[in-house]
Amino acid sequence: MSQLQKIQRHRPWTPTWRFILTGVVVWLAVVMALPSHAQAPAVNVTQYNRVGNGGSFFTADPLEKKYIDATLSAAYKKQGDVFAAFSDKQPGTVAVYRFYNPITYAHFYTTDEIERKALTETAAGRGWNYEGVSFYAYASAASGRVSVNRFWFQGGGVNDFFGLHRYLVGAATFSAIDDLLASPPLPPGRSEGVAFYGINIAPSSAPKAGRDSARFLTQATFGIKNPEQVDALEREGYTSWISAQFSLPQMQTSQYLRDIEARGERIEEQHPYEAVWQHMLFGNDQLRARITFALSQITVISNIAPDQNNWALVSWWDMLARNAFSSYRQLLEDVTLHPAMGYYLNMLGNQKEDLAINRNPNENFAREVLQLFSIGLNELNLDGSVKRDAGGKVIPTYDQKIVEGFAKVFTGWNHAGNDTKDANTFFNYKENWQAPMQAWAMHHSEGTKTILGGITLPAKQTPEKDLNDALDVIANHQNVGPFIGKRLIQALVTSNPSPAYVERVARTFNNNGNGVRGDMKSVIRAVLLDAEARNAPSTDITKYGKQREPVLRFTQLMRAANAKADNGRNSVWWLDSADDALGQSPLLAPSVFNFFSPLYTRAGPIAQAGLVAPEFQISTEAQVVGATNFLHNVVASEGFGYRDESKLKFNLASYATLESNPSELVDVLALLFTSGQLSDASRAIIVGAVSKLGTQVGERTKAAITLLLATPDFVIQR
């Protein structure tokens, strides 16, 4: 268990906590005390898939596993231990016979004596070699057992047996076949039902590949919708998935508002939030949406007052989404010139200095674009560590003189669409909240401007020239790669990346391999495909992982519950209340410093270990209780919303067939909510609790989801 998980699990219990949650704790204690009915497996069965055709191969023989791993790993892709069976005949079990076809390189399994006899009697004609009893399994379903389903695909031979067979553990739908490796696409096929039943094993023994695919989707999207998405990623591969996401059209939140307006509705304060939640929950461009959310917490504007224009908010979100896959330099320019940022940090209408009346340019944006959006306070090494001088002191990236220089750069800008030749329109302007700001030269500082790196911009440059030169200097500063790279790693993968991980991402930022600096697509690939992202370190595990932001907990719930509104919209608006909502909501950060600092640590074991835990800054007692109750109420209400036609209603029908098998139900949900990393202790509690419920459709699923939402395995993303 990581330090983050320990803190989440062992928070101090106040009277408020005890009052609200005592009943749950007592009930769970009773459940934990119940005797276990799980049967100890005789031996784990390992699944391999044949490379090239995806044919399934099972073995329970340790020597055979060792031989395949040592000599045939190029031909057989190991999927891991998938169920348990017996090496000898046991009461209630049947023999599982194995055949091999040297022509198609396919294996076939059957418990049917008629099939066995047909194949063994005509083996030479059909090309099948009988390999004996593979193991003993069950012929009927029961608690603690998992189905092994058989699928047949036409192989071009003279009979059904000559085709290719695949086996899917723990599912019964033809479309859900796991890890299809065949190319070209599969020929026509059919389901042949359950071949036999194995003993369900702990999720920790589930195929590692599937768990990591779930981890990847957890990092790169707003939540896994169903196991089929994990299966599809297994087939497609991470690199292809990312490339496909890059090519998807951007969902426009501005268009969402225009559609509302076209229906005759007046645009109200809640509609920008509705549009943003629509993108996060339902946008096909999930990677773009997830990066946009991350960028919105690095380059922050907020409507917490509220006083931002409604159209400015959606235009801002669309601008970030557009630049999620562009370049950092373009992002920096578009952030600088967006009127929402201009309004938030006082660059909109910022005037040049006038010593006669003791007026100096506003320094707000100049300070934050350096401290928060690009380079930070201190010089950094490429691995993100702080540089120090010969005396061991940190080296500041800028001082007050540099802030004053940048403040002069950012003068003379205001709303687009006005006459920039007329000095008075700078004050008597027509608002335009969706176009980049434009410059009034007569209101721009004309003197020299000292900026980063000892560079001084010449006097009398145009506002546009000063701005471009200044942004070029910022974007090319050595800090930007490690600074922005680490922020993205923290947002997507882990709060405490190793210096080597940060350096690899920073090097990609500095050069994408083709001499291009700040290529966001390459940086995103570097963050998500790094070995440290794909393989949680087996040593020093206490440093790995991050708390899942409240927003991401909510989106995972709604996506896994297939929540949709009758009118195709939603009424998810303000969820920033810590008392009765999430304590976090997009575009509603309490300040330009976001909801939490990337440098925040929590006193106690986290701080003592030298770790940061950014999301724990908003994990107050009120927020933890409020968010837990909020999510519980969403599940109990089977949805969320304020209007019937816009309420997001759960559709749990896809889980109905699993409810008769609590173990299988919990394992499927654990794949979605915990990337298959649910601890054995938590799993035992949840399976036991769900098993005690009746058979009313949906009740077991809701109970399992409610308990999963409260587990450290869900709250801490690993």
Side-chain angles (χ1 to χ4, degrees):
M1 180 184 299
S2 71
Q3 292 289 356
L4 296 182
Q5 287 176 304
K6 290 178 181 177
I7 291 299
Q8 180 66 25
R9 178 170 285 176
H10 299 297
R11 289 186 53 80
W13 282 67
T14 66
T16 301
W17 277 64
R18 286 195 293 268
F19 177 77
I20 295 175
L21 299 178
T22 294
V24 175
V25 173
V26 170
W27 174 67
L28 288 178
V30 171
V31 172
M32 291 178 69
L34 293 174
S36 172
H37 297 287
Q39 179 178 1
V43 61
N44 282 353
V45 176
T46 303
Q47 180 177 352
Y48 297 82
N49 283 355
R50 177 79 187 193
V51 175
N53 64 23
S56 303
F57 174 71
F58 298 106
T59 179
D61 187 335
L63 294 178
E64 193 168 47
K65 295 178 188 180
K66 184 176 181 180
Y67 174 75
I68 294 174
D69 292 341
T71 63
L72 298 177
S73 59
Y76 288 91
K77 182 179 178 182
K78 188 174 184 177
Q79 303 299 294
D81 295 342
V82 290
F83 59 87
F86 299 96
S87 56
D88 299 307
K89 175 70 175 174
Q90 300 291 322
T93 64
V94 293
V96 178
Y97 304 109
R98 190 172 85 189
F99 295 83
Y100 174 67
N101 192 317
I103 299 174
T104 61
Y105 306 108
H107 285 85
F108 175 74
Y109 298 84
T110 183
T111 62
D112 189 324
E113 290 294 337
I114 296 177
E115 280 187 333
R116 181 193 65 79
K117 185 176 180 180
L119 286 178
T120 53
E121 288 182 352
T122 58
R126 297 179 187 273
W128 288 99
N129 295 333
Y130 176 54
E131 295 186 333
V133 176
S134 187
F135 45 79
Y136 292 86
Y138 292 101
S140 60
S143 177
R145 299 177 190 174
V146 59
S147 61
V148 181
N149 305 277
R150 192 171 81 189
F151 299 85
W152 171 83
F153 297 89
Q154 181 179 329
V158 296
N159 56 67
D160 286 358
F161 292 119
F162 200 77
L164 177 68
H165 289 84
R166 290 191 177 90
Y167 297 80
L168 179 63
V169 178
T173 59
F174 184 80
S175 63
I177 295 181
D178 162 77
D179 197 17
L180 301 182
L181 302 177
S183 180
L186 290 169
R190 64 169 182 264
S191 171
E192 295 188 333
V194 178
F196 52 85
Y197 293 87
I199 302 169
N200 209 0
I201 57 178
S204 59
S205 299
K208 178 183 180 298
R211 293 202 305 274
D212 188 61
S213 293
R215 289 179 64 248
F216 178 90
L217 291 173
T218 297
Q219 295 163 355
T221 74
F222 279 98
I224 312 171
K225 296 185 70 173
N226 49 57
E228 287 75 20
Q229 284 193 328
V230 180
D231 295 336
L233 178 60
E234 286 282 279
R235 297 192 297 271
E236 187 176 7
Y238 304 141
T239 301
S240 296
W241 185 91
I242 292 174
S243 297
Q245 285 286 310
F246 285 160
S247 68
L248 289 176
Q250 174 186 340
M251 178 183 168
Q252 298 285 337
T253 57
S254 299
Q255 184 60 49
Y256 187 85
L257 258 61
R258 286 191 286 271
D259 291 342
I260 292 176
E261 201 171 47
R263 289 190 286 268
E265 293 185 48
R266 178 181 174 180
I267 300 301
E268 304 285 357
E269 181 191 341
Q270 71 270 18
H271 289 136
Y273 309 117
E274 180 180 317
V276 168
W277 282 107
Q278 192 80 2
H279 189 197
M280 296 193 300
L281 288 169
F282 303 113
N284 290 326
D285 53 335
Q286 277 288 291
L287 180 59
R288 184 190 297 273
R290 184 66 189 273
I291 299 299
T292 302
F293 183 54
L295 292 176
S296 77
Q297 297 186 76
I298 299 173
T299 59
V300 177
I301 68 163
S302 179
N303 197 31
I304 197 67
D307 50 11
Q308 286 273 10
N309 179 274
N310 292 328
W311 291 97
L313 290 173
V314 290
S315 174
W316 171 262
W317 186 268
D318 287 345
M319 179 275 296
L320 292 182
R322 183 175 67 251
N323 283 293
F325 301 155
S326 66
S327 70
Y328 173 78
R329 173 60 178 81
Q330 187 63 54
L331 168 67
L332 187 62
E333 180 173 330
D334 289 353
V335 162
T336 300
L337 293 180
H338 198 284
M341 177 59 77
Y343 177 77
Y344 189 60
L345 291 184
N346 309 114
M347 183 177 158
L348 191 72
N350 191 18
Q351 299 181 64
K352 65 182 180 181
E353 66 276 12
D354 187 340
L355 300 182
I357 60 174
N358 197 29
R359 184 184 70 207
N360 290 299
N362 189 288
E363 299 174 1
N364 207 1
F365 180 74
R367 197 177 306 277
E368 307 310 348
V369 73
L370 298 174
Q371 178 180 351
L372 302 176
F373 304 170
S374 60
I375 62 174
L377 294 172
N378 300 307
E379 296 282 350
L380 302 175
N381 295 305
L382 197 59
D383 64 4
S385 60
V386 177
K387 280 187 176 181
R388 298 182 182 274
D389 61 18
K393 295 181 179 180
V394 299
I395 307 170
T397 50
Y398 59 89
D399 56 19
Q400 178 59 26
K401 185 178 180 180
I402 290 174
V403 171
E404 292 171 358
F406 275 107
K408 292 177 181 179
V409 168
F410 300 129
T411 54
W413 296 84
N414 215 318
H415 284 286
N418 294 280
D419 184 0
T420 59
K421 303 297 183 182
D422 182 350
N424 290 327
T425 59
F426 189 76
F427 307 102
N428 301 299
Y429 50 79
K430 180 181 179 181
E431 293 181 353
N432 185 337
W433 292 103
Q434 299 184 72
M437 293 185 292
Q438 292 181 340
W440 276 253
M442 69 283 295
H443 290 290
H444 178 66
S445 177
E446 297 179 337
T448 60
K449 305 163 185 72
T450 300
I451 57 174
L452 291 169
I455 295 173
T456 298
L457 301 181
K460 303 293 186 179
Q461 290 199 140
T462 66
E464 293 84 358
K465 175 63 173 171
D466 270 351
L467 185 82
N468 284 330
D469 288 351
L471 295 184
D472 282 346
V473 170
I474 295 174
N476 283 287
H477 192 278
Q478 62 184 11
N479 270 27
V480 180
F483 185 88
I484 295 298
K486 186 172 182 179
R487 294 298 182 272
L488 289 174
I489 293 170
Q490 289 181 309
L492 304 179
V493 180
T494 181
S495 297
N496 296 277
S498 70
Y501 186 6
V502 175
E503 182 171 343
R504 289 190 292 269
V505 173
R507 289 189 183 280
T508 300
F509 182 97
N510 292 346
N511 185 340
N512 70 349
N514 295 305
V516 178
R517 179 179 174 83
D519 172 23
M520 292 297 289
K521 289 182 178 179
S522 295
V523 171
I524 292 166
R525 286 193 184 97
V527 169
L528 292 174
L529 299 180
D530 190 87
E532 195 167 321
R534 300 282 42 87
N535 301 293
S538 57
T539 59
D540 213 8
I541 193 67
T542 57
K543 293 185 177 181
Y544 194 83
K546 66 188 294 289
Q547 186 185 149
R548 200 183 304 242
E549 296 176 55
V551 162
L552 299 177
R553 295 181 224 171
F554 177 71
T555 57
Q556 174 61 81
L557 167 61
M558 303 307 281
R559 286 172 62 81
N562 302 302
K564 287 186 179 180
D566 293 340
N567 64 3
R569 289 169 54 181
N570 72 85
S571 52
V572 186
W573 302 328
W574 306 277
L575 296 182
D576 55 312
S577 170
D579 295 328
D580 55 7
L582 295 174
Q584 185 191 28
S585 202
L587 301 181
L588 287 169
S591 75
V592 71
F593 293 94
N594 189 31
F595 300 97
F596 41 78
S597 166
L599 304 177
Y600 176 79
T601 187
R602 175 62 60 90
I606 292 179
Q608 291 166 10
L611 305 178
V612 298
E615 295 83 1
F616 273 80
Q617 190 167 6
I618 58 174
S619 297
T620 63
E621 292 178 352
Q623 187 274 335
V624 171
V625 173
T628 301
N629 288 339
F630 170 79
L631 293 174
H632 167 74
N633 289 334
V634 171
V635 178
S637 302
E638 297 188 27
F640 177 83
Y642 303 108
R643 300 174 180 170
D644 288 342
E645 70 276 10
S646 296
K647 178 180 178 180
L648 295 175
K649 301 174 183 176
F650 285 6
N651 180 356
L652 303 176
S654 60
Y655 305 109
T657 57
L658 302 175
E659 291 195 328
S660 61
N661 188 333
S663 294
E664 193 171 344
L665 172 66
V666 171
D667 287 347
V668 168
L669 291 171
L671 180 69
L672 309 186
F673 285 87
T674 72
S675 303
Q677 299 177 91
L678 184 65
S679 70
D680 292 344
S682 294
R683 182 178 183 276
I685 292 172
I686 298 174
V687 171
V690 170
S691 299
K692 300 298 180 286
L693 298 177
T695 58
Q696 182 177 346
V697 176
E699 291 306 304
R700 287 184 166 184
T701 299
K702 289 195 297 180
I705 290 174
T706 299
L707 293 173
L708 279 166
L709 290 172
T711 62
D713 312 282
F714 172 68
V715 175
I716 301 302
Q717 174 189 314
R718 292 282 293 279

